[in-house]
Amino acid sequence: MKLSKKICCFALIFAVLGFCINSEAFDLPEFAENIFSGQEYNPSLSGDEIINYGLLFSCATDTGCKISAEKYNFVKQLINSENIQSLSEEERAEKILFLMYENILSKYHITQNRLDVAFEKGTYNCVTATVLYTALAKNAGLSVRAQKTKDHCFSTLYTSDGKKIDIETTNPYGFNPGVKKDLSENKDMSRYTVVPKSNYSNRLEVSDRVLVSLIAGNLTSRMIARNDYKNAVPLGSLRWYFVQQENSQGSEGVRRDLDVINFNYAKDLMKANRDEECLSWMNKVISAFGMNQYSAKNFDDIFYNLICNKVNGRKFSEGYTLLESGKNYLSEASFTKYTGMVKESEWIYKLNEMLQKGQYLETSSMCDAALLDLGNNKTVSSIKAVAEKNYAVTVHNEFVDYYNADDYDGARRVLEEGLQNLPGNKILLEDLKILNGN
C-alpha cells in the first residue's frame, strides 16, 4: 500500500495597524507670549476693553483698528446722547440694536469672524454681532450677558426690575425674539415683523472674556481646517492666557479648544512619520499647559499610534525607548499595556521568522519561553501548535518515503526520533500503528 504525503501549513498572519501618509514639511510653531501676565483679572470687561480685545483676537491691522475705532466711537456718542439715555432699559437695549445696524452692520455671513471686518465692510456673524452689541450696551449702562449654544451666540438683557430678555444680535429686530414688532412710520401705514424665537436650549452664559475669545476660537478652527498651525497655535494659546484665571464652563471650553489645536498638530506630525518631533511637541505642550483629562486622553491616543508605528517598522528597541520617554505622562495601566504590546509583537515577529525558516522544533521551544514571559497568549499558542504540526508533517513525509521504498527500519527510526521530540503526537502515532501492522 502506497501512502500519500501531507502538506505543511505554516502560514500565519502577523497584522498590526499601519499608516500610508505622505510626509510633509513642518516648522514647529511657537506659543504666544502671555501678554496678560501680571494684569489684574476680571471676567467682566468694559465696552472699550471688549472692542480692544476683540480687535486683538481678530488680528486686525493698524488701518483696521483705526477704521473700527472711528465707527465705534461715532455710535458710542449716539448711544450716550440724552435722547438714548432717557429711554427705559428695554427701550435703550432695543434702540442700540437698531443703531448698530444703521451705522455698522449690514450683511450676515456665517464665516465672517473678524471684528475689524465687521466694522470695515459691515459683514458679521453671531459672534462678531454679539461682541459689538455687548460693548455698545455696556457703554449705555446696560447689564447684558452673552449666551452660547453649540452653534450660536446671542445676548440677554438683565433689567434692574429682574427681567431677563433675549436679544438675537444677528437681526436688527432681534430684541425679545418671538414678539411682534410695529414698524409703522406714520398713522396711515403699518408694517410688522416677528423675529422667530430660535432654539436657545442648552445655553451657556459666558463671561465677557470668554465671549471676546470666541473670535479667536472661530479663527483658529478655520486655520486648523487649512493646516495653518503656525498661526493657530499662537492665537489659540493667547486665547487661553486671556481666560485661564477664570473657573467656569466657558473657560474650560477654551482650554479644550487649545488642546484640540495642539493635539491635532501632533497627529499631523505622527501621520507624516515624524515621530520624534511629535513626541517633542507633546512634551512641549504638557510642559507649557499641564495635563488635564482631555489632554491625557489625547496623549494616550497619540502615544498608542506612535507605538504602532514602531511595531509596524519592526523597530522594537525604539519602541522601548519611546515608552521610557513617555513614562511620566502615561497612566500606569497604559504604560503596562503598551509595553506588553511591544513585547508581544517582538516575540511574534521572531517566532514567525523562525517558523518561515522551517525551524519547527526551535520555534516550539521558543514559544515556551514566550509564554513564560507573556503569560497565556493565544497567538503564541497558535504558532506553537502550527510549528509542532509542521514538524510532525515533515517527519510523516520522511516516513512515507522510507515506507514506500520498503525500508521499514528507516521508517521506524524516523518515527521514533519524531516521537521522542513530540511525544504523543497523533500524526506520528497513527504512522507507527501503520508500520507495526505491516
Side-chain angles (χ1 to χ4, degrees):
M1 178 182 71
K2 293 287 186 182
L3 298 179
S4 61
K5 294 184 178 181
K6 295 180 181 289
I7 299 174
C8 292
C9 49
F10 53 82
L12 277 183
I13 298 176
F14 174 44
V16 290
L17 293 177
F19 299 96
C20 295
I21 306 294
N22 291 327
S23 180
E24 298 179 9
F26 288 87
D27 291 324
L28 293 179
E30 295 294 332
F31 303 122
E33 178 186 355
N34 186 357
I35 61 175
F36 311 111
S37 179
Q39 292 183 6
E40 183 178 350
Y41 189 86
N42 189 340
S44 180
L45 302 172
S46 69
D48 290 356
E49 287 174 327
I50 288 173
I51 296 300
N52 286 334
Y53 287 129
L55 292 171
L56 170 69
F57 286 123
S58 297
C59 308
T61 63
D62 290 343
T63 300
C65 288
K66 182 179 179 181
I67 294 173
S68 300
E70 289 174 354
K71 290 191 175 183
Y72 169 68
N73 288 326
F74 175 75
V75 178
K76 182 178 171 182
Q77 287 180 341
L78 293 178
I79 63 176
N80 283 316
S81 66
E82 185 177 347
N83 288 338
I84 301 299
Q85 289 299 313
S86 64
L87 298 174
S88 69
E89 290 173 299
E90 293 179 44
E91 291 171 331
R92 213 181 319 158
E94 187 168 16
K95 184 63 176 177
I96 289 169
L97 193 60
F98 287 141
L99 290 172
M100 185 172 77
Y101 278 90
E102 286 176 358
N103 295 278
I104 301 173
L105 303 183
S106 58
K107 185 177 181 180
Y108 177 82
H109 196 295
I110 192 170
T111 60
Q112 203 304 87
N113 302 298
R114 292 173 51 180
L115 188 59
D116 57 323
V117 175
F119 277 112
E120 289 183 63
K121 299 183 178 180
T123 54
Y124 63 93
N125 65 5
C126 62
V127 171
T128 45
T130 301
V131 167
L132 179 54
Y133 181 82
T134 301
L136 293 172
K138 278 177 168 279
N139 275 308
L142 297 174
S143 176
V144 291
R145 303 176 196 173
Q147 311 293 328
K148 179 181 177 298
T149 67
K150 181 181 178 182
D151 301 309
H152 193 43
C153 185
F154 58 99
S155 291
T156 297
L157 170 69
Y158 282 72
T159 65
S160 55
D161 59 358
K163 293 180 183 178
K164 291 196 297 185
I165 302 172
D166 288 335
I167 304 166
E168 177 50 67
T169 58
T170 60
N171 191 303
Y173 304 105
F175 182 82
N176 201 5
V179 175
K180 188 177 183 180
K181 304 292 193 315
D182 184 355
L183 307 183
S184 301
E185 296 184 0
N186 58 62
K187 65 180 180 179
D188 298 320
M189 181 179 293
S190 295
R191 294 188 299 118
Y192 301 95
T193 187
V194 176
V195 175
K197 193 172 182 64
S198 302
N199 181 11
Y200 295 148
S201 60
N202 299 317
R203 67 173 66 188
L204 175 66
E205 188 166 280
V206 297
S207 69
D208 294 338
R209 283 182 178 263
V210 172
L211 167 64
V212 175
S213 81
L214 292 177
I215 293 174
N218 286 345
L219 288 176
T220 53
S221 292
R222 293 180 64 80
M223 291 171 183
I224 291 173
R226 58 178 185 266
N227 293 319
D228 181 13
Y229 291 99
K230 185 177 180 180
N231 289 305
V233 166
L235 184 57
S237 58
L238 186 67
R239 182 190 180 206
W240 168 240
Y241 297 144
F242 186 60
V243 303
Q244 66 178 338
Q245 295 185 54
E246 183 177 320
N247 184 18
S248 69
Q249 283 184 265
S251 63
E252 288 174 5
V254 174
R255 171 56 196 268
R256 191 161 52 247
D257 289 347
L258 174 63
D259 288 334
V260 168
I261 296 169
N262 290 331
F263 284 100
N264 276 0
Y265 181 66
K267 289 174 185 175
D268 278 3
L269 288 173
M270 177 194 66
K271 290 176 182 178
N273 296 317
R274 299 183 65 165
D275 294 355
E276 301 308 319
E277 288 170 277
C278 177
L279 185 62
S280 175
W281 174 250
M282 289 194 295
N283 287 332
K284 182 177 179 180
V285 169
I286 293 169
S287 296
F289 304 108
M291 187 85 90
N292 58 20
Q293 185 177 1
Y294 182 85
S295 59
K297 181 182 182 304
N298 276 276
F299 185 90
D300 197 285
D301 289 345
I302 291 173
F303 209 88
Y304 170 80
N305 284 292
L306 289 175
I307 290 295
C308 284
N309 283 350
K310 299 302 182 186
V311 170
N312 284 345
R314 311 290 186 256
K315 299 176 181 178
F316 303 112
S317 61
E318 292 183 18
Y320 292 120
T321 301
L322 182 64
L323 281 163
E324 284 301 315
S325 66
K327 190 173 184 178
N328 293 334
Y329 302 123
L330 291 170
S331 66
E332 184 177 348
S334 292
F335 181 79
T336 301
K337 176 183 176 182
Y338 299 155
T339 301
M341 192 171 97
V342 176
K343 186 185 294 185
E344 178 188 25
S345 299
E346 184 178 21
W347 272 115
I348 291 173
Y349 176 73
K350 289 179 180 177
L351 293 171
N352 271 314
E353 194 173 41
M354 294 174 66
L355 195 63
Q356 296 293 337
K357 292 178 180 178
Q359 300 170 341
Y360 304 131
L361 285 178
E362 294 87 343
T363 301
S364 176
S365 177
M366 190 66 74
C367 283
D368 292 335
L371 290 170
L372 189 63
D373 186 28
L374 300 174
N376 185 32
N377 186 285
K378 291 183 178 180
T379 303
V380 173
S381 296
S382 295
I383 293 174
K384 180 178 174 63
V386 170
E388 292 181 352
K389 183 176 181 181
N390 287 346
Y391 174 75
V393 168
T394 301
V395 173
H396 164 81
N397 290 340
E398 191 176 355
F399 159 74
V400 169
D401 287 337
Y402 283 111
Y403 185 90
N404 288 340
D406 296 328
D407 185 353
Y408 301 121
D409 290 337
R412 187 174 297 279
R413 184 177 65 254
V414 167
L415 285 179
E416 287 176 350
E417 182 182 347
L419 284 168
Q420 185 177 359
N421 290 323
L422 288 182
N425 182 268
K426 291 182 180 181
I427 293 175
L428 302 184
L429 287 175
E430 184 65 28
D431 288 342
L432 184 61
K433 185 186 297 184
I434 293 171
L435 181 63
N436 289 336
N438 185 50

